[in-house]
């Protein structure tokens, strides 16, 4: 049962967050397309490395309520990803070297 639960958690996490590197590639300018997605992804990992400490501090501050600290941090990240995705330029069907049409 534990193995099934671990599989399902990883399945849904990968489904939700697995698209982020592909989206970073779509946002990359042609000049840095080879390095930009990897650099920004690892930069995100650098910022996220403090996440465990932040969650533990919040849980301790809120009476050892780990569930609440997890919910708050996940909500903040989810809202940030939605806002960034909603307001970032879409570059679908653009060939390398071409500038996207529009504003």
């Amino acid at each position: 049962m534990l193995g099934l639960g671990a599989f399902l958690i990883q399945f849904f996490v990968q489904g939700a967050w697995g698209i982020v590197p592909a989206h970073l590639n779509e946002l990359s300018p042609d000049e840095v397309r080879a390095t930009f997605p990897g650099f920004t992804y690892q930069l995100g990992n650098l910022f996220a490395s403090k996440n465990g400490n932040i969650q533990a501090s919040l849980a301790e501050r809120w009476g050892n309520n780990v569930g609440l600290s997890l919910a708050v941090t996940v909500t903040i990240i989810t809202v940030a990803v939605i806002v960034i995705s909603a307001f970032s330029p879409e570059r679908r069907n653009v060939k390398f070297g071409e500038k996207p049409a529009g504003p």
Side-chain angles (χ1 to χ4, degrees):
M1 204 53 156
L2 186 61
L4 177 64
F7 173 80
L8 289 174
I9 287 172
Q10 183 58 37
F11 179 81
F12 288 109
V13 165
Q14 188 63 30
W17 295 104
I19 193 66
V20 172
H23 184 67
L24 287 172
N25 201 29
E26 293 298 318
L27 296 176
S28 303
D30 283 344
E31 300 80 26
V32 292
R33 191 174 289 261
T35 56
F36 182 77
F39 176 75
T40 55
Y41 194 77
Q42 295 305 323
L43 190 62
N45 285 335
L46 175 67
F47 293 141
S49 67
K50 286 297 206 182
N51 194 25
N53 294 338
I54 292 169
Q55 288 177 357
S57 297
L58 289 176
E60 188 176 321
R61 182 177 302 167
W62 295 331
N64 292 326
N65 192 344
V66 176
L68 180 59
S69 71
L70 287 171
V72 167
T73 55
V74 167
T75 302
I76 291 169
I77 297 303
T78 302
V79 169
V81 168
I82 289 170
V83 168
I84 289 169
S85 296
F87 293 107
S88 62
E90 183 176 344
R91 298 198 177 147
R92 193 171 61 188
N93 299 326
V94 174
K95 295 182 180 165
F96 291 118
E98 289 183 5
K99 298 294 179 193

